[in-house]
Amino acid sequence: MRSTFLTLLGLLIAGSGQLTTARQDARSIVAGMVTQDRDGDATAEVRMEVVDSRGRSRFRTLTLWSRTAQEGERQQLIRFTAPADIRGTGFLSLQNGAVREAWLYLPALKRTRRIAGTGRNDRFVGTDFSFRDLEPERVDEYSYALVEETMLDSSAVWVVDARPGESLDDPYSRRRLWISKAESVLLRAEFHDQDDLVVKSYSASDVRQPPGSTKWRAHVLKMESPGEGTRTVLEITSYLLDTGLDSAQFTKRSLERGG
Amino acid sequence: MVWQASGLEISNSVDAILPADHPALLQDREIKSVFESREMILIGFLLDEGIFNQATLQKVADLSGEIEDITLMDPATRTRLAERYTRLPERYQERFLSAVRESSRARASALAERMWREARRDSIGADAQGLLEELRLRTHPVSEVLSLSTVDDIVATEDGLALRRPMPVVPVSSAAMSRLRTSVYQNPLFVNGLVSRDGTGILVLVEMSFYYDDHIEVAKDLLDSLSAIVRTYEGPEKTVVAGVPMVNVFTSSQMNADLARLMPLAIGVLFLVLWYAFRSPMLATVPLVLVLITLAWTLGIMALAGRPVTLVVSAMPIILIAIGVADGIHLITEYRAQWPLAEDKRSALTATMGTLAGAVVVTSLTDVAGFGSLASSGLASIRDFGVFTSVGALVALGLSLTLVPAVLVLLPPPPPLREEGRLPRVPGIRRHRRRPILIAAGALVLVAGLLIPTLKTGGTMVGYFKTDSEIAEASRLINDHFGGTEVLNVVVDTHEVDGLKDATVLRGIAAIQDSLEGLDVVGYTASIADYVARMDQVLTGRDQILGQDRVEDESDPRDRARIAQYLLLYENAGGNDTEKLADFDYRKANVVVQIRTDRTPILREVRNVASRVAATMLGASTSVTYAGCSNLCIVADDLIIPSQLRSLGTAALAVFLLLLLLFRSAWQAAAAMVPLVITIMVVFALMSLFGVHLDAVTALIASIVLGVGIDYSVHFISRFKFFLREGSGSEAAVQAVRTTARPILFNSLAVGLGFSVLLFSSFWPLIHIGWVVGSTMVLAAVLTLTVLPALLPRD
């Protein structure tokens, strides 16, 4: 679902950095990161670059608004701003627990359409992110193990392995997560398939505090698919946190109001 | 060498026919890689009562699933691959073995893929990389299966839009069945693409994960495996497997079967002829041993050179048999003539070689000139044929001058040639018959000249098979029910990013499709324009951008945004079927055109229609190129006539120069060419008269006739010059006819009989070579004995 993209963007963008210095168990490290990510609301300008296996790039820019109304209730609105021919195209995603609904607005038709779900494992808008990759971590459905505490570039990190429970239809047998100790931000992730091969790898950089906020955010997010030779880079050019967005900004009417 | 020959690759795909560096072939590969498209294998279920029933659709779903999970790792293959693990660097060996033994396809495939990528980065050497590549392909030979249970349909839902499989589960109730039927026929992309218009046929399309020509053995295994799986689904539906890869594999196996059947047959026939001629089975085996060694060497050299055996090349063994036997006939006939005059075998042989060595060398050199000139051909298979037949002629020459006398020394003395046998009673050519002979020859030339312009050109692949063959029937059934087995890719390049989002370009593309679909032979087309139109229909209920609901003729500026947003929506909904129809940044569109025949003249007509419409409907900034098997067939075909004329011209010139060198008389050399020129004209006239198309294979006939037939003139003029020392030209001519008539006629009959075994081939072009060469060799012999003396000076 489109909404999952927004969820993850929101997750990644809204990830907050409560300083955690004490040694913790793996589950609480991840839970801490997730909980803090979901706090508040965010408005971000995003520049999206999709690179195909022959090294050719496709650029799009979009604005993303996201908000967590209460636990498990996520509201997200995305609107493309460039290239010109898709300017104003919008997606609205409302998630309430397990129920998720998504709408699409095409300005050329001046019409909103509800979008039926697609698979969680499908690619999102031709990017290297799948819908599942973009969903918030479901802490209860995975088991976590702390692998080591080490340095990644110049950041101290926890390295955590996440394995799905038996019942999950998860394409990844294991994900290895690098979470910064200082900011509690996911800096790197490797997605392993059933044969324990790395099929995708995620990395985040340019971690800093958006203006007027004490939270830490990565501003450049990259997902690579080594098997396919493709990658997607999301660069956040403007970040505003906790500006007090309300529910009225996440309706079909606001979707249709246009860019 | 025999062992080397066992490594020969047999392939007659159009890729193997064109030279590897031909621009059309390079462009074809480029386009295929941009759109990641490969040739499809078409599997059809046909049922007259209609395929919309639970049992048939369940088969389609089951088969699709089974093929998606296909692997080509039978126990023998596992053992064979496992035995080769030492070719890999040590760090791969253990993983390689475990991947080879792995029973889960997914896991084996993932392991193989990973090793292959790793190895490619490490550059471990071609041999080792090839081994990993084979494992990778065998564990994942199919990249995509397209059927109603696997493709995406763009559908309108109550309040929105969805991308979903037309048949996620097989309908049980009749209501669900009729809903499926309705929805399938509402999407024009499915009609003739996946189901027949009348509902009596349904397709499962299989795309290989590699190019056929890169891995012919794996492709064969895949197709064998597919055919075996499909057979288990047979009945009451008729199942058929077709498509270009299938035709290629069928051609290869038939070529194999042909060679296995025809070569022993040819050798058997010639053995009987030689036995009769020499009155000695022992002597009869001598030329045959020569022929067998020649074949082993030539095919071995070919395997070492890494050249594939194409249909054209498969005619070579028969020709080498004819050439090799001819040398043997002359040598042994002369040996038998010399034997009664000589003291012992050794001196009889010395005399034989003294008399004939020159002629044997020259006739071999004319063969080399005739066939070697084909090396200038634009078609790789004809080039190979020319080069390796020349090599074979040289090998045969070497053996004739060394092995044959050596063996004859060891054998018991030959039965002597009886006098009346050596100089048979043939009517001498009298001077007063000169005029009628020349008039008759002139009339023959005139009639042939009138027939030649109606000669048709154009190859085919399926059409090469007899109509009751398995592949011909499968192709016919698929072509009757669906869009067609042949694919032409019309590539529209706008030369600018997002150029395809221009509505006028999409309308141009749609216009090309409309015109093509108006042709009887085109059963199906698909392009990015179809997807845009479908989205338009589903989202707005109308066909505003491309179709009849368009208000004005001018382009609506809003169209561009609409198209862009539809495409974004499609991607966003997880659609990826357009990847094969438009490139990454929407510069180029790939219009897939399915055609119901592989006759090149018809394919060319289809391509011409596309070009004409493109020229009027697309702007000057947009260019159109072509790809696909159909296009390569047209390109190959276009090369044949100019390249054949050039080769024939070169061959004629080379032969003439050789004759000039031998005879030291321009007049004699020119006269020697005349019977051959007339014969070649008759060859083309016969082909025209009997509707034999000039194609890559039948184009060889003229060269064969020249190369083999010129020998008669050489022998004749050699004799003529010999007798000229003793008398006048007219007497010499009569003597020459008297002494050469029997060997020349006999030789032409032997060659004709040798070629006639091609009548038992599975391929029409080889059958044509068989009867045309068989009959015209005799004509060449007769012309040599009549027209040639008439042209020589009297004094």
PDB file of all heavy atoms in Angstrom, chain B residues 48-65:
ATOM      1  N   ASP B  48     -12.449 -27.346 -28.763  1.00  0.00           N
ATOM      2  CA  ASP B  48     -13.521 -26.811 -29.603  1.00  0.00           C
ATOM      3  C   ASP B  48     -14.738 -26.385 -28.801  1.00  0.00           C
ATOM      4  O   ASP B  48     -15.431 -25.434 -29.147  1.00  0.00           O
ATOM      5  CB  ASP B  48     -13.946 -27.846 -30.658  1.00  0.00           C
ATOM      6  CG  ASP B  48     -12.895 -27.968 -31.752  1.00  0.00           C
ATOM      7  OD1 ASP B  48     -12.052 -27.046 -31.827  1.00  0.00           O
ATOM      8  OD2 ASP B  48     -12.906 -28.966 -32.485  1.00  0.00           O
ATOM      9  N   GLU B  49     -15.006 -27.095 -27.686  1.00  0.00           N
ATOM     10  CA  GLU B  49     -16.193 -26.747 -26.872  1.00  0.00           C
ATOM     11  C   GLU B  49     -15.967 -25.478 -26.072  1.00  0.00           C
ATOM     12  O   GLU B  49     -16.870 -24.988 -25.409  1.00  0.00           O
ATOM     13  CB  GLU B  49     -16.535 -27.887 -25.901  1.00  0.00           C
ATOM     14  CG  GLU B  49     -16.903 -29.203 -26.573  1.00  0.00           C
ATOM     15  CD  GLU B  49     -15.680 -30.024 -26.960  1.00  0.00           C
ATOM     16  OE1 GLU B  49     -14.951 -30.463 -26.058  1.00  0.00           O
ATOM     17  OE2 GLU B  49     -15.440 -30.190 -28.176  1.00  0.00           O
ATOM     18  N   GLY B  50     -14.754 -24.949 -26.088  1.00  0.00           N
ATOM     19  CA  GLY B  50     -14.475 -23.714 -25.362  1.00  0.00           C
ATOM     20  C   GLY B  50     -13.606 -23.981 -24.136  1.00  0.00           C
ATOM     21  O   GLY B  50     -13.792 -24.979 -23.440  1.00  0.00           O
ATOM     22  N   ILE B  51     -12.674 -23.077 -23.881  1.00  0.00           N
ATOM     23  CA  ILE B  51     -11.722 -23.307 -22.794  1.00  0.00           C
ATOM     24  C   ILE B  51     -12.193 -22.685 -21.476  1.00  0.00           C
ATOM     25  O   ILE B  51     -11.537 -22.845 -20.452  1.00  0.00           O
ATOM     26  CB  ILE B  51     -10.316 -22.789 -23.148  1.00  0.00           C
ATOM     27  CG1 ILE B  51     -10.360 -21.342 -23.640  1.00  0.00           C
ATOM     28  CG2 ILE B  51      -9.677 -23.659 -24.215  1.00  0.00           C
ATOM     29  CD1 ILE B  51     -10.387 -20.311 -22.588  1.00  0.00           C
ATOM     30  N   PHE B  52     -13.308 -21.958 -21.504  1.00  0.00           N
ATOM     31  CA  PHE B  52     -13.786 -21.383 -20.241  1.00  0.00           C
ATOM     32  C   PHE B  52     -14.557 -22.439 -19.448  1.00  0.00           C
ATOM     33  O   PHE B  52     -15.766 -22.366 -19.286  1.00  0.00           O
ATOM     34  CB  PHE B  52     -14.630 -20.135 -20.495  1.00  0.00           C
ATOM     35  CG  PHE B  52     -13.780 -18.926 -20.779  1.00  0.00           C
ATOM     36  CD1 PHE B  52     -13.506 -18.542 -22.081  1.00  0.00           C
ATOM     37  CD2 PHE B  52     -13.219 -18.190 -19.730  1.00  0.00           C
ATOM     38  CE1 PHE B  52     -12.704 -17.443 -22.345  1.00  0.00           C
ATOM     39  CE2 PHE B  52     -12.417 -17.094 -20.000  1.00  0.00           C
ATOM     40  CZ  PHE B  52     -12.151 -16.723 -21.305  1.00  0.00           C
ATOM     41  N   ASN B  53     -13.846 -23.443 -18.992  1.00  0.00           N
ATOM     42  CA  ASN B  53     -14.429 -24.439 -18.107  1.00  0.00           C
ATOM     43  C   ASN B  53     -13.413 -24.706 -17.008  1.00  0.00           C
ATOM     44  O   ASN B  53     -12.208 -24.459 -17.168  1.00  0.00           O
ATOM     45  CB  ASN B  53     -14.764 -25.721 -18.881  1.00  0.00           C
ATOM     46  CG  ASN B  53     -13.502 -26.422 -19.360  1.00  0.00           C
ATOM     47  OD1 ASN B  53     -12.812 -27.077 -18.577  1.00  0.00           O
ATOM     48  ND2 ASN B  53     -13.170 -26.257 -20.636  1.00  0.00           N
ATOM     49  N   GLN B  54     -13.887 -25.196 -15.899  1.00  0.00           N
ATOM     50  CA  GLN B  54     -13.047 -25.306 -14.712  1.00  0.00           C
ATOM     51  C   GLN B  54     -11.811 -26.176 -14.942  1.00  0.00           C
ATOM     52  O   GLN B  54     -10.701 -25.825 -14.545  1.00  0.00           O
ATOM     53  CB  GLN B  54     -13.879 -25.876 -13.564  1.00  0.00           C
ATOM     54  CG  GLN B  54     -13.276 -25.584 -12.220  1.00  0.00           C
ATOM     55  CD  GLN B  54     -14.025 -26.311 -11.119  1.00  0.00           C
ATOM     56  OE1 GLN B  54     -15.190 -26.641 -11.273  1.00  0.00           O
ATOM     57  NE2 GLN B  54     -13.355 -26.542 -10.002  1.00  0.00           N
ATOM     58  N   ALA B  55     -12.012 -27.300 -15.615  1.00  0.00           N
ATOM     59  CA  ALA B  55     -10.901 -28.238 -15.782  1.00  0.00           C
ATOM     60  C   ALA B  55      -9.766 -27.621 -16.601  1.00  0.00           C
ATOM     61  O   ALA B  55      -8.596 -27.691 -16.227  1.00  0.00           O
ATOM     62  CB  ALA B  55     -11.403 -29.514 -16.447  1.00  0.00           C
ATOM     63  N   THR B  56     -10.116 -26.976 -17.718  1.00  0.00           N
ATOM     64  CA  THR B  56      -9.079 -26.406 -18.576  1.00  0.00           C
ATOM     65  C   THR B  56      -8.355 -25.262 -17.873  1.00  0.00           C
ATOM     66  O   THR B  56      -7.126 -25.176 -17.903  1.00  0.00           O
ATOM     67  CB  THR B  56      -9.699 -25.902 -19.899  1.00  0.00           C
ATOM     68  OG1 THR B  56     -10.435 -26.967 -20.489  1.00  0.00           O
ATOM     69  CG2 THR B  56      -8.631 -25.430 -20.857  1.00  0.00           C
ATOM     70  N   LEU B  57      -9.130 -24.389 -17.230  1.00  0.00           N
ATOM     71  CA  LEU B  57      -8.504 -23.247 -16.569  1.00  0.00           C
ATOM     72  C   LEU B  57      -7.623 -23.701 -15.409  1.00  0.00           C
ATOM     73  O   LEU B  57      -6.578 -23.114 -15.139  1.00  0.00           O
ATOM     74  CB  LEU B  57      -9.567 -22.254 -16.098  1.00  0.00           C
ATOM     75  CG  LEU B  57     -10.332 -21.579 -17.245  1.00  0.00           C
ATOM     76  CD1 LEU B  57     -11.409 -20.646 -16.685  1.00  0.00           C
ATOM     77  CD2 LEU B  57      -9.402 -20.810 -18.168  1.00  0.00           C
ATOM     78  N   GLN B  58      -8.053 -24.777 -14.741  1.00  0.00           N
ATOM     79  CA  GLN B  58      -7.219 -25.319 -13.661  1.00  0.00           C
ATOM     80  C   GLN B  58      -5.878 -25.787 -14.236  1.00  0.00           C
ATOM     81  O   GLN B  58      -4.828 -25.578 -13.634  1.00  0.00           O
ATOM     82  CB  GLN B  58      -7.941 -26.493 -12.982  1.00  0.00           C
ATOM     83  CG  GLN B  58      -7.269 -26.964 -11.702  1.00  0.00           C
ATOM     84  CD  GLN B  58      -7.240 -25.869 -10.635  1.00  0.00           C
ATOM     85  OE1 GLN B  58      -8.274 -25.295 -10.295  1.00  0.00           O
ATOM     86  NE2 GLN B  58      -6.043 -25.560 -10.139  1.00  0.00           N
ATOM     87  N   LYS B  59      -5.940 -26.373 -15.426  1.00  0.00           N
ATOM     88  CA  LYS B  59      -4.698 -26.818 -16.063  1.00  0.00           C
ATOM     89  C   LYS B  59      -3.785 -25.626 -16.357  1.00  0.00           C
ATOM     90  O   LYS B  59      -2.574 -25.701 -16.177  1.00  0.00           O
ATOM     91  CB  LYS B  59      -5.002 -27.558 -17.366  1.00  0.00           C
ATOM     92  CG  LYS B  59      -5.560 -28.949 -17.150  1.00  0.00           C
ATOM     93  CD  LYS B  59      -5.771 -29.647 -18.471  1.00  0.00           C
ATOM     94  CE  LYS B  59      -6.358 -31.029 -18.243  1.00  0.00           C
ATOM     95  NZ  LYS B  59      -6.597 -31.716 -19.507  1.00  0.00           N
ATOM     96  N   VAL B  60      -4.402 -24.538 -16.828  1.00  0.00           N
ATOM     97  CA  VAL B  60      -3.609 -23.344 -17.131  1.00  0.00           C
ATOM     98  C   VAL B  60      -2.926 -22.835 -15.865  1.00  0.00           C
ATOM     99  O   VAL B  60      -1.726 -22.525 -15.860  1.00  0.00           O
ATOM    100  CB  VAL B  60      -4.505 -22.247 -17.749  1.00  0.00           C
ATOM    101  CG1 VAL B  60      -3.769 -20.916 -17.814  1.00  0.00           C
ATOM    102  CG2 VAL B  60      -4.961 -22.668 -19.143  1.00  0.00           C
ATOM    103  N   ALA B  61      -3.686 -22.789 -14.786  1.00  0.00           N
ATOM    104  CA  ALA B  61      -3.126 -22.308 -13.519  1.00  0.00           C
ATOM    105  C   ALA B  61      -2.034 -23.247 -13.018  1.00  0.00           C
ATOM    106  O   ALA B  61      -0.946 -22.807 -12.623  1.00  0.00           O
ATOM    107  CB  ALA B  61      -4.234 -22.173 -12.479  1.00  0.00           C
ATOM    108  N   ASP B  62      -2.314 -24.550 -13.067  1.00  0.00           N
ATOM    109  CA  ASP B  62      -1.330 -25.528 -12.584  1.00  0.00           C
ATOM    110  C   ASP B  62      -0.059 -25.502 -13.425  1.00  0.00           C
ATOM    111  O   ASP B  62       1.052 -25.511 -12.902  1.00  0.00           O
ATOM    112  CB  ASP B  62      -1.921 -26.945 -12.610  1.00  0.00           C
ATOM    113  CG  ASP B  62      -3.047 -27.111 -11.591  1.00  0.00           C
ATOM    114  OD1 ASP B  62      -3.191 -26.219 -10.728  1.00  0.00           O
ATOM    115  OD2 ASP B  62      -3.774 -28.121 -11.672  1.00  0.00           O
ATOM    116  N   LEU B  63      -0.252 -25.465 -14.738  1.00  0.00           N
ATOM    117  CA  LEU B  63       0.912 -25.459 -15.628  1.00  0.00           C
ATOM    118  C   LEU B  63       1.753 -24.200 -15.392  1.00  0.00           C
ATOM    119  O   LEU B  63       2.985 -24.269 -15.338  1.00  0.00           O
ATOM    120  CB  LEU B  63       0.460 -25.532 -17.089  1.00  0.00           C
ATOM    121  CG  LEU B  63       1.584 -25.512 -18.131  1.00  0.00           C
ATOM    122  CD1 LEU B  63       2.447 -26.758 -18.021  1.00  0.00           C
ATOM    123  CD2 LEU B  63       1.040 -25.379 -19.547  1.00  0.00           C
ATOM    124  N   SER B  64       1.080 -23.045 -15.250  1.00  0.00           N
ATOM    125  CA  SER B  64       1.822 -21.799 -15.009  1.00  0.00           C
ATOM    126  C   SER B  64       2.681 -21.937 -13.768  1.00  0.00           C
ATOM    127  O   SER B  64       3.858 -21.568 -13.764  1.00  0.00           O
ATOM    128  CB  SER B  64       0.851 -20.628 -14.823  1.00  0.00           C
ATOM    129  OG  SER B  64       0.009 -20.520 -15.936  1.00  0.00           O
ATOM    130  N   GLY B  65       2.091 -22.486 -12.708  1.00  0.00           N
ATOM    131  CA  GLY B  65       2.842 -22.652 -11.466  1.00  0.00           C
ATOM    132  C   GLY B  65       3.993 -23.626 -11.642  1.00  0.00           C
ATOM    133  O   GLY B  65       5.110 -23.374 -11.188  1.00  0.00           O
TER     134      GLY B  65
END
